[in-house]
Amino acid sequence: MTGPTNPFDWSGGHPALDLVNTLDERPSDAPIETLTAYGALVSFTELAGLIEPSAAKRLRSLGGPACTRVIRRARELREHLYTIVGAIHDGLSVPQNDLDAIAVEVRRAHAARALTATGASSAIISGWRLPTSPEIPVHACALAIEDLLLSTDHSRIHKCGAADCEVYFIDTSKAHRRQWCSMKNCGNREKQRRWRSAVE
Ligand SMILES: [Zn+2]
């Protein structure tokens, strides 16, 4: 495999919510895991714009137990965020243990960054300290989560209005009235369902 595969849902409007949505069909008895393996995590972070394609290409060639641990950490990180986003959405208090677990990964991610001066202009760029570390995708996810939690308006985080869908998204519409993860899927299906129950 050379390029990224793309089984992911991109309706979140923020890479951290897209990460939450990588476990598809959550309300069902059999949710569908799209972060199936390390390569899928690399593809997700690349397609989400969290890592450069050149880095993704490098990382995709990695394997072994270190990568297995990283995919496990990424899924755990995702589920901590899912709990937090759910609590925010439902107006409940946000569990501290989930925040603590995320903070551990955010600290690791910041520790993995480095500043480098480049060229004659001495422009300073921020990059990964170890560009071949298998941990880069989970670090990238942690930094996206930090951004979501600290820099976005939480009142705009909504859950899809369809009864059988738990996709989370940031409502960036002007009127703040976005109801569906996507009009094409849930929006049309729900409208048809409501129309049918109205005429019956
Ligand atoms: Zn939906």
Side-chain angles (χ1 to χ4, degrees), residues 50-104:
L50 299 175
I51 61 172
E52 295 293 323
S54 56
K57 198 167 168 232
R58 254 191 335 265
L59 295 168
R60 214 173 274 120
S61 65
L62 302 177
C67 294
T68 309
R69 281 194 295 275
V70 168
I71 180 75
R72 198 182 314 132
R73 271 166 57 195
R75 289 193 201 121
E76 283 169 8
L77 189 60
R78 176 188 68 191
E79 295 313 303
H80 289 301
L81 180 61
Y82 170 66
T83 305
I84 290 168
V85 166
I88 291 170
H89 179 266
D90 296 338
L92 303 171
S93 60
V94 173
Q96 187 60 44
N97 63 317
D98 292 292
L99 289 173
D100 289 345
I102 285 176
V104 168

Side-chain angles (χ1 to χ4, degrees), residues 31-47:
I32 296 168
E33 179 60 83
T34 59
L35 295 181
T36 47
Y38 183 74
L41 176 65
V42 172
S43 294
F44 170 78
T45 48
E46 178 186 1
L47 293 164

Side-chain angles (χ1 to χ4, degrees), residues 111-127:
R113 301 295 287 172
L115 297 175
T116 321
T118 58
S121 64
S122 293
I124 310 289
I125 56 161
S126 175

Side-chain angles (χ1 to χ4, degrees), residues 121-145:
S121 64
S122 293
I124 310 289
I125 56 161
S126 175
W128 300 109
R129 206 161 48 80
L130 301 169
T132 53
S133 164
E135 293 182 273
I136 286 174
V138 74
H139 291 329
C141 290
L143 294 177
I145 291 171

Side-chain angles (χ1 to χ4, degrees), residues 2-15:
T2 52
T5 50
N6 191 358
F8 309 109
D9 183 310
W10 298 106
S11 45
H14 188 288

